[in-house]
């Protein structure tokens, strides 16, 4: 795991090579002929590597400019029921920014068990990592001031309706 990239010549254990890398087509033996072919393909490999690095840097810029909202159930005093998982983060990024990231590349150092702002690291390619800002909470945490005002008006209406119904006047008026 993480021994080398495309075009690298590395030493691995014979069992690992024979039982896994060679049958999976992930490696070839370093014979004279294979090394000669590798030298001829070096410029193609370098171009692909540059493209991968450019794509990873582009995604890094997109992720670092983003604040992802992860909606979870929150108890009293901002404590979550459970914790935020890497899968939840990957799903939230997909839903909000339409970016595909693998959940296995999301690194959560300490379990996220409280509402608020948190940061996770996303490994994109080799040494390129992005810091992703998370905003963790429930529906009330993400409500806009206009939504809160509308909800408050509805609550006031319900309260006044309930208090009106509790008076004796409504029975006499035929409601």
């Amino acid at each position: 795991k993480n021994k080398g990239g495309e075009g690298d010549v590395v030493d691995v254990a014979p069992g690992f090579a024979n039982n896994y890398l060679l049958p999976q087509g992930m490696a070839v033996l370093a014979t004279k002929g294979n090394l000669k072919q590798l030298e001829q393909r070096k410029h193609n490999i370098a171009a692909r590597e540059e493209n991968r690095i450019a794509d990873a840097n582009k995604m890094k810029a997109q992720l670092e400019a983003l604040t992802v909202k992860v909606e979870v159930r929150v108890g009293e005093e901002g404590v979550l029921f459970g914790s935020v998982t890497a899968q939840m983060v990957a799903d939230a990024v997909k839903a909000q920014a339409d970016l595909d990231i693998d959940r296995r590349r999301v690194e959560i150092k300490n379990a996220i068990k409280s509402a608020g702002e948190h940061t996770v690291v996303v490994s994109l390619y080799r040494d390129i990592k992005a810091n992703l800002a998370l905003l963790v909470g429930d529906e009330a945490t993400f409500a806009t001031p206009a939504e809160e005002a509308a909800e408050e008006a509805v609550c006031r209406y319900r309260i006044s309706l309930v208090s009106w119904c509790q008076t004796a006047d409504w029975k006499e008026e035929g409601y």
Side-chain angles (χ1 to χ4, degrees):
K1 182 176 176 181
N2 296 329
K3 285 285 189 176
E6 183 180 13
D8 293 343
V9 178
V10 295
D11 291 326
V12 295
F16 182 53
N18 291 329
N19 296 328
Y20 183 72
L21 295 175
L22 295 174
Q24 296 289 325
M26 299 172 112
V28 293
L29 292 174
T31 61
K32 285 184 181 181
N34 288 339
L35 290 174
K36 192 172 185 178
Q37 284 180 351
L38 177 64
E39 288 301 320
Q40 293 173 349
R41 293 186 7 215
K42 279 283 191 186
H43 68 281
N44 291 338
I45 293 170
R48 279 195 299 270
E49 184 73 12
E50 287 176 16
N51 288 338
R52 289 179 189 140
I53 290 173
D55 290 343
N57 284 327
K58 180 181 170 189
M59 184 173 270
K60 177 182 178 178
Q62 290 174 333
L63 288 174
E64 289 185 343
L66 188 66
T67 299
V68 178
K69 296 176 183 175
V70 179
E71 191 171 316
V72 292
R73 288 182 50 208
V74 179
E76 293 183 22
E77 299 179 15
V79 178
L80 304 184
F81 292 105
S83 63
V84 175
T85 63
Q87 183 65 50
M88 293 167 122
V89 173
D91 292 342
V93 169
K94 176 66 176 165
Q96 295 171 28
D98 200 33
L99 294 173
D100 287 321
I101 58 172
D102 188 4
R103 67 172 174 77
R104 293 173 294 217
R105 297 198 173 270
V106 177
E107 300 172 11
I108 301 175
K109 301 251 188 276
N110 298 323
I112 299 174
K113 294 182 176 249
S114 62
E117 295 182 12
H118 299 275
T119 304
V120 296
V121 176
V122 180
S123 297
L124 298 171
Y125 184 71
R126 295 200 181 199
D127 293 335
I128 301 173
K129 297 181 182 209
N131 292 319
L132 179 63
L134 297 180
L135 185 59
V136 178
D138 56 4
E139 292 176 3
T141 307
F142 305 134
T144 62
E147 291 173 346
E148 289 175 5
E151 181 65 26
E152 188 176 322
V154 169
C155 287
R156 267 195 244 123
Y157 173 73
R158 287 182 190 150
I159 290 170
S160 62
L161 184 62
V162 168
S163 54
W164 178 75
C165 291
Q166 290 174 348
T167 64
D169 295 339
W170 73 275
K171 294 178 187 173
E172 295 170 4
E173 293 176 13
Y175 290 103

